[in-house]
Amino acid sequence: MKNLSLTVIIGILFSAIGTASLFITQNPLMAAVWLSFGNGLILSNLRFSRPDAAGNMVAAPIPKVRIYVGVALIAMAVILLGVQVYSDLQ
């Protein structure tokens, strides 16, 4: 539980809201916004721990690829939100 930061918990919450909104409202675009933002937060901030040579548990660094994909998911959520607003105004 130590590797769950506030942003990871918020990402889990947003992903749960996105999944629930997909089943309840049947609006895939809005669900994609919630899921993309939540998964981007989870992917870019979740830390795993592993034992080092002495047997102590240390937090492994987050790979750069996970950070880039997480930021891309968050950017896609913002773009999808713009598309949702545009389609609602039509």
Side-chain angles (χ1 to χ4, degrees), residues 1-2 4 10 37 39 46 51 61-62 74 79-80 87-88:
M1 192 70 178
K2 287 188 284 187
L4 293 180
I10 292 172
F37 190 72
N39 290 335
L46 184 62
I62 301 173
I74 293 170
I79 292 169
L80 287 173
S87 68
D88 285 344

Side-chain angles (χ1 to χ4, degrees), residues 2-50:
K2 287 188 284 187
N3 59 352
L4 293 180
S5 64
L6 182 63
T7 54
V8 172
I9 293 171
I10 292 172
I12 292 170
L13 178 70
F14 283 175
S15 295
I17 291 171
T19 304
S21 70
L22 180 62
F23 291 131
I24 293 171
T25 65
Q26 302 289 322
N27 187 356
L29 187 58
M30 188 49 95
V33 170
W34 285 99
L35 285 168
S36 180
F37 190 72
N39 290 335
L41 285 176
I42 293 170
L43 195 61
S44 63
N45 291 317
L46 184 62
R47 292 186 176 268
F48 296 108
S49 56
R50 62 178 178 205

